[in-house]
């Protein structure tokens, strides 16, 4: 994390995307999308997608140490709930 935070964030975010795809495959894509769009899950789903996009943006395009790790931390806290 200290030597290359952008690489860590990029690989961590890609692993989160793979996790979401695996969960969708395990549950069935339509069932998983229905679960993500339920009223109790919609806010955390939106925050997770935004944090994934922003962490990729700050690790690949606008290289920022603080923001890339911040959005990576948001991914961890949202996914753990």
């Amino acid at each position: 994390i200290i030597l290359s935070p952008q690489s860590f964030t990029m690989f961590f975010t890609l692993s989160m995307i793979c996790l979401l795809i695996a969960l969708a495959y395990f549950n069935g894509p339509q069932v998983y999308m229905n679960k993500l769009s339920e009223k109790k899950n919609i806010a955390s789903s939106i925050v997770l997608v935004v944090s994934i996009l922003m962490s990729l943006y700050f690790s690949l395009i606008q290289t920022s140490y603080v923001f890339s790790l911040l959005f990576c931390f948001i991914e961890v806290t949202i996914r753990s709930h």
Side-chain angles (χ1 to χ4, degrees):
I1 294 174
I2 294 172
L3 298 177
S4 182
Q6 285 83 13
S7 295
F8 169 77
T9 303
M10 182 185 63
F11 287 122
F12 180 78
T13 301
L14 291 176
S15 68
M16 289 293 290
I17 292 170
C18 289
L19 174 70
L20 292 174
I21 291 170
L23 287 172
Y25 179 75
F26 180 70
N27 291 321
Q30 186 64 38
V31 174
Y32 189 67
M33 289 306 291
N34 289 339
K35 286 181 183 179
L36 287 178
S37 61
E38 288 178 355
K39 191 171 185 169
K40 65 179 181 176
N41 296 332
I42 193 74
S44 61
S45 298
I46 291 171
V47 170
L48 181 62
V49 169
V50 168
S51 66
I52 285 173
L53 293 174
M54 294 305 288
S55 65
L56 284 175
Y57 174 77
F58 283 114
S59 67
L60 297 174
I61 298 169
Q62 179 75 31
T63 55
S64 172
Y65 177 84
V66 174
F67 285 126
S68 63
L69 290 179
L70 173 71
F71 286 111
C72 186
F73 178 74
I74 292 171
E75 287 177 40
V76 170
T77 57
I78 292 298
R79 193 67 226 158
S80 63
H81 286 117

